[in-house]
Amino acid sequence: MKSRVEIHYCTQCRWLLRAGWTAQELLTTFSDTLGEVALVPQKGGIFAIYVDSELVFDRKAEGRFPEMKEVKQLVRNKVSPNMDLGHSDTPVKSRSTKNEASLDTEACPNE
Amino acid sequence: MKSRVEIHYCTQCRWLLRAGWTAQELLTTFSDTLGEVALVPQKGGIFAIYVDSELVFDRKAEGRFPEMKEVKQLVRNKVSPNMDLGHSDTPVKSRSTKNEASLDTEACPNE
């Protein structure tokens, strides 16, 4: 049984383009190991990624959006642990997220 | 219960971009009426659209790809029959599909 990824995004924040980009990146990288990637419209500032119903990234918990290579590593770890992601396999750079977090964790401004 | 759309596409034909475009168009038009749009990688020249598990467009049966407004009409008819699609509500132009069909209905060249 191939895995299912869900990308939940806030329509009020207009994150469909980011969600669509993420879906296409994952389907390009994992074309043989994913059964589907579902785009799931939500509200309230949600940007969250699930693999087989398990939450692997939550923007509100992290205080930021994920880097794309981070998303690929999180999905890889669940669906294909031995897969080499090449240049996407380097560690995500640590960084101060304070300023960004103070913006990112605000509630959806449209609610 | 909101509806689920599935877009099945052939990875060997590299139709992910078309499928991703279609998903984003549907989620823009039906942001409040769709529960999710799933991109489903397949093989063998498949490009097919399902609404709540019911096939509404099949490239092999039609001998062509759908026009985007046609996709929106097909989805609207299932999920929100009274919704006005504006400029996407005009009839799909009839046309000879003979030449295109002879190309389109070929098997996936990568199989």
Side-chain angles (χ1 to χ4, degrees), chain A residues 3-110:
Chain A
S3 289
R4 165 179 156 91
V5 171
E6 294 168 33
I7 303 171
H8 294 226
Y9 67 95
C10 176
T11 57
Q12 297 168 304
C13 306
R14 302 186 185 177
W15 290 338
L16 171 58
L17 277 73
R18 181 186 289 265
W21 168 47
T22 305
Q24 291 172 87
E25 286 275 358
L26 292 175
L27 286 163
T28 299
T29 299
F30 302 100
S31 59
D32 292 327
T33 46
L34 290 182
E36 67 179 51
V37 176
L39 295 166
V40 183
Q42 300 275 8
K43 299 201 184 303
I46 286 177
F47 191 87
I49 299 171
Y50 294 79
V51 179
D52 294 328
S53 302
E54 185 183 342
L55 181 66
V56 298
F57 192 93
D58 178 2
R59 177 185 156 277
K60 289 195 177 182
E62 299 289 338
R64 60 178 177 84
F65 287 103
E67 291 186 33
M68 190 58 70
K69 66 181 177 185
E70 184 179 11
V71 175
K72 291 185 179 181
Q73 290 169 19
L74 290 166
V75 171
R76 184 269 318 274
N77 295 348
K78 294 290 176 193
V79 306
S80 191
N82 297 320
M83 180 180 178
D84 183 354
L85 291 173
H87 63 272
S88 287
D89 232 345
T90 53
V92 175
K93 288 188 182 73
S94 64
R95 53 175 183 169
S96 167
T97 57
K98 280 185 187 169
N99 290 335
E100 190 175 353
S102 66
L103 290 173
D104 277 359
T105 53
E106 282 180 2
C108 170
N110 299 300

Side-chain angles (χ1 to χ4, degrees), chain B:
Chain B
M1 186 81 179
K2 291 186 176 180
S3 290
R4 165 177 155 92
V5 171
E6 294 168 33
I7 302 171
H8 294 227
Y9 67 95
C10 176
T11 58
Q12 298 167 305
C13 306
R14 302 185 185 178
W15 291 339
L16 171 57
L17 277 72
R18 182 185 289 266
W21 169 47
T22 305
Q24 290 172 87
E25 286 274 358
L26 292 176
L27 286 163
T28 299
T29 299
F30 303 101
S31 59
D32 291 326
T33 46
L34 291 180
E36 67 180 49
V37 175
L39 296 166
V40 184
Q42 301 276 6
K43 300 201 184 303
I46 286 177
F47 191 88
I49 299 172
Y50 295 78
V51 179
D52 294 327
S53 301
E54 184 182 342
L55 181 66
V56 299
F57 192 94
D58 178 2
R59 176 186 157 277
K60 289 195 176 182
E62 300 289 338
R64 59 179 176 83
F65 286 103
E67 292 185 34
M68 190 58 70
K69 67 180 176 185
E70 185 179 10
V71 175
K72 291 186 180 182
Q73 290 169 19
L74 291 165
V75 171
R76 185 268 318 274
N77 294 348
K78 294 291 177 194
V79 307
S80 191
N82 296 321
M83 181 179 176
D84 183 353
L85 291 173
H87 63 273
S88 287
D89 232 345
T90 53
V92 175
K93 288 188 183 71
S94 65
R95 53 174 183 170
S96 168
T97 57
K98 280 184 187 169
N99 289 335
E100 189 176 354
S102 67
L103 290 173
D104 276 358
T105 53
E106 281 179 3
C108 170
N110 300 298
E111 283 205 316

